[in-house]
């Protein structure tokens, strides 16, 4: 996936997801299946996509005791997806359990585990309200280093933290950034956002974009424009 674009299929049904994906087929990108779509369509939506040769990012942000997350990850690894999220606040043992499960399930062709650091819908006030006595930058770096030490393949963080993360993480460690909006697009419920080009310059390897493509009159043209901007 050289384009660097992950398209978020934030849609309620498998039929709507397939309709949007079919308009983007042939582009070098990945499709993100999150909580809404997975809750509606279940594992079958992942299997259907991977059976068609599509790259899939399963974004479930797993967060539970290590044994439960390990078993869940093993089941997800059987579906053929490329990427999976766990939540870094689950701790070292939980993240390690997810990584170990992918090795046992698929070896070198395993599902890659990404640790979510801090949701892009949160700002400093939100962190303080839930009892986190760190700046966003400090929290994201702390959790990202813990994720790397736990064997994860990368992190999910806003583009605002990508630069400082790139200096703190090992070479080859993926930085995946949601909260990416082309110029002129509404932020929605995201608070820490950047354009595709600025996210790339900050250090992002992959960007996640949903509404600017999903809601576009011409989704394919919108995706191609974002890919061009990101790789310019």
């Amino acid at each position: 996936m050289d384009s660097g674009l992950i398209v978020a299929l934030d849609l309620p049904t498998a039929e709507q997801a397939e309709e949007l994906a079919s308009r983007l087929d042939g582009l070098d990108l990945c499709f993100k299946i999150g909580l809404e779509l997975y809750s509606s369509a279940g594992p079958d939506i992942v299997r259907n996509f991977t059976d068609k040769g599509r790259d899939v990012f399963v974004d479930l942000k797993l967060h539970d005791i290590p044994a439960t997350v390990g078993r869940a990850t093993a089941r997800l690894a059987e579906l053929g997806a490329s990427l999976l999220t766990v939540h870094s606040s689950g701790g070292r043992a939980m993240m390690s359990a997810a990584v170990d499960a992918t090795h046992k399930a698929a070896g070198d062709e395993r599902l890659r585990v990404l640790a979510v650091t801090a949701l892009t819908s949160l700002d400093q006030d939100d962190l303080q309200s839930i009892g986190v006595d760190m700046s966003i930058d400090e929290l994201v770096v702390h959790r990202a280093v813990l994720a790397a030490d736990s064997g994860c393949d990368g992190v999910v963080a806003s583009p605002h933290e990508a630069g400082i993360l790139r200096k703190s993480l090992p070479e080859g460690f993926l930085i995946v950034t949601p909260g990416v909006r082309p110029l002129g697009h509404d932020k929605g419920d995201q608070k820490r956002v950047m354009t595709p080009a600025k996210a790339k310059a900050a250090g992002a390897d992959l960007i996640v974009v949903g509404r600017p493509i999903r809601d576009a009159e011409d989704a394919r043209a919108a995706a191609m424009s974002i890919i061009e901007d990101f790789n310019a």
Side-chain angles (χ1 to χ4, degrees):
M1 194 185 67
D2 294 331
S3 74
L5 176 61
I6 299 170
V7 176
L9 297 175
D10 296 329
L11 294 159
T13 69
E15 292 75 19
Q16 288 171 293
E18 176 59 36
E19 193 277 331
L20 176 55
S22 66
R23 286 190 277 156
L24 302 174
D25 277 339
L27 298 180
D28 180 31
L29 46 75
C30 180
F31 294 100
K32 182 177 83 72
I33 294 174
L35 281 173
E36 180 184 15
L37 184 56
Y38 195 87
S39 296
S40 168
D44 286 345
I45 185 70
V46 182
R47 289 193 192 94
N48 290 343
F49 270 53
T50 57
D51 285 349
K52 292 177 180 178
R54 295 167 176 158
D55 278 329
V56 174
F57 171 18
V58 183
D59 183 24
L60 300 182
K61 300 178 180 69
L62 300 179
H63 188 179
D64 210 313
I65 63 172
T68 297
V69 169
R71 290 194 298 268
T73 301
R75 301 289 74 77
L76 291 165
E78 297 167 354
L79 303 178
S82 301
L83 300 166
L84 167 72
T85 49
V86 300
H87 209 295
S88 60
S89 61
R92 185 192 304 272
M94 189 207 76
M95 290 187 281
S96 295
V99 173
D100 290 345
T102 66
H103 281 287
K104 292 175 182 176
D108 290 339
E109 297 302 317
R110 67 185 182 85
L111 181 65
R112 264 49 183 181
V113 177
L114 306 175
V116 176
T117 53
L119 299 177
T120 53
S121 59
L122 301 177
D123 60 18
Q124 196 64 51
D125 289 339
D126 295 318
L127 291 185
Q128 290 178 349
S129 73
I130 58 174
V132 176
D133 191 23
M134 284 185 178
S135 70
I136 288 179
D137 285 356
E138 290 172 331
L139 178 67
V140 168
V141 170
H142 176 78
R143 288 181 170 178
V145 171
L146 181 64
D149 291 344
S150 303
C152 291
D153 302 280
V155 290
V156 179
S158 95
H160 286 266
E161 293 91 51
I164 191 169
L165 284 176
R166 184 55 69 203
K167 299 173 184 176
S168 307
L169 296 170
E171 186 176 352
F173 199 73
L174 288 173
I175 298 175
V176 180
T177 61
V180 174
R181 293 285 187 272
L183 281 174
H185 280 260
D186 184 73
K187 292 182 179 180
D189 54 3
Q190 309 281 3
K191 294 182 178 177
R192 303 184 334 269
V193 302
M194 269 188 192
T195 65
K198 288 184 177 179
K200 178 67 173 285
D205 296 298
L206 304 170
I207 56 172
V208 182
V209 183
R211 276 167 279 198
I213 295 172
R214 182 196 67 194
D215 298 341
E217 184 174 338
D218 186 338
R220 191 178 186 88
M224 292 174 66
S225 177
I226 289 168
I227 290 170
E228 181 179 0
D229 189 33
F230 183 66
N231 289 289

